[in-house]
Amino acid sequence: MAHPLPSGNSLARLFLPAWTIAVLVFLYLPIILLVVYSFNNVPNNMDLSAHWHGFTLRWYRAMWADRLLMQSVRNTLIIASAVTVVSIVLGTGAAWLMHRFVFPAAGGLQTLILLPMIIPEIIMGVSLMLLFRAIGLNRGYLTVIIAHVTFCFPFVMAAVQARLAGIDPSLEEAALDLGATPIRAFFSVIVPYLMPAIVAGGLLTFTLSIDEFMVTYFTYDARSMTLPILIYSEARTGLKLTLNAVSTLFIAGTVILVLAMELLRSRR
């Protein structure tokens, strides 16, 4: 007796779970392996074999003793923090000014501001390197921060503009009617309303700055080397398991930050 072919809904119920599991495995299996092998007790720091030699924390201890690695981590965090602060100020200010005031060529100006979001990174890196060389600015912390802000603050601006699209104009008017100055009304009424977008843009900016390689490659010097640059330079001779340990700590920090944000959001 022939069995009827499964219907379209039945095929979807069979296919979608399998597809979802395959995608999740593809995305998270490399991260899981990276974390697991940061605890692998291999004979030396350069052994990235898939064989399990036992549990150890030696690579986390060795990580703190690696001066070059620790310096690159500090540089990465310092640069990302500075870029986040500057991008939040510039992005929020630009979004508010373009929302509050109408002036000629506003659309063209907004396009120019948002253009670094889509320009290929290698083109931006080379162009910024040539600009810094033309004006006589030596490569270092300042050039890396300027380069990162150039493509990061438009993300903050876009997030804040999306939030401003739904703002009620009567909020600012009520604050002004109650005697607040325009500056006080902005910081007491507008900024708290925009805070979710500002936080989202700041987190995105911090992540982009930490992860950025191509633009950094053309604008850094030896003292301002970041973690992505160090990983690239060591990948040519062989990655170390101490890099697994550092990456695991970054992953743990990201998870904790996301959980904290979700906790705050749920309480609100």
Side-chain angles (χ1 to χ4, degrees):
M1 180 178 178
H3 295 281
L5 293 175
S7 63
N9 290 335
S10 299
L11 286 174
R13 285 194 295 267
L14 292 173
F15 176 74
L16 289 179
W19 173 254
T20 302
I21 293 173
V23 170
L24 292 176
V25 169
F26 177 78
L27 291 176
Y28 291 105
L29 183 59
I31 298 176
I32 294 173
L33 291 177
L34 180 146
V35 173
V36 169
Y37 279 95
S38 69
F39 301 101
N40 192 11
N41 190 22
V42 295
N44 61 76
N45 196 12
M46 302 294 293
D47 188 356
L48 297 180
S49 64
H51 300 290
W52 181 256
H53 296 269
F55 181 87
T56 183
L57 294 175
R58 59 188 292 203
W59 308 124
Y60 290 87
R61 293 191 295 269
M63 173 189 70
W64 299 107
D66 192 330
R67 295 181 58 185
L68 183 59
L69 177 59
M70 286 294 98
Q71 182 62 40
S72 67
V73 171
R74 284 193 293 268
N75 290 342
T76 301
L77 295 177
I78 291 172
I79 291 171
S81 300
V83 169
T84 301
V85 172
V86 176
S87 297
I88 286 176
V89 173
L90 293 179
T92 304
W96 174 246
L97 290 175
M98 298 193 71
H99 172 79
R100 187 69 174 79
F101 301 101
V102 178
F103 52 90
L109 178 61
Q110 180 169 347
T111 301
L112 289 176
I113 294 175
L114 298 178
L115 197 59
M117 297 171 62
I118 59 175
I119 289 180
E121 292 182 349
I122 188 170
I123 296 178
M124 179 175 292
V126 172
S127 61
L128 287 171
M129 180 187 66
L130 295 176
L131 172 64
F132 296 145
R133 183 176 299 176
I135 63 178
L137 186 60
N138 294 327
R139 293 191 294 177
Y141 286 102
L142 181 59
T143 56
V144 175
I145 291 173
I146 293 174
H148 284 204
V149 169
T150 302
F151 70 86
C152 281
F153 94 88
F155 288 93
V156 179
M157 176 179 162
V160 174
Q161 281 184 320
R163 181 73 172 172
L164 284 170
I167 193 172
D168 187 353
S170 62
L171 293 176
E172 183 184 11
E173 295 172 0
L176 295 175
D177 291 341
L178 292 173
T181 62
I183 295 179
R184 184 173 181 182
F186 176 76
F187 285 102
S188 300
V189 178
I190 304 301
V191 170
Y193 176 83
L194 298 177
M195 192 54 65
I198 293 174
V199 172
L203 291 175
L204 180 59
T205 295
F206 189 80
T207 303
L208 290 173
S209 180
I210 285 179
D211 186 57
E212 179 54 42
F213 168 77
M214 188 61 68
V215 175
T216 308
Y217 183 80
F218 290 98
T219 55
Y220 86 104
D221 64 352
R223 293 179 301 171
S224 59
M225 176 184 293
T226 62
L227 186 59
I229 299 295
L230 177 65
I231 292 174
Y232 170 76
S233 62
E234 293 194 350
R236 293 177 294 179
T237 57
L239 293 173
K240 299 178 181 178
L241 284 171
T242 47
L243 295 175
N244 286 44
V246 171
S247 301
T248 300
L249 293 181
F250 270 99
I251 293 170
T254 302
V255 172
I256 293 173
L257 183 60
V258 171
L259 292 177
M261 293 299 300
E262 285 297 319
L263 181 61
L264 290 175
R265 187 179 63 85
S266 62
R267 287 185 175 182
R268 288 185 178 181

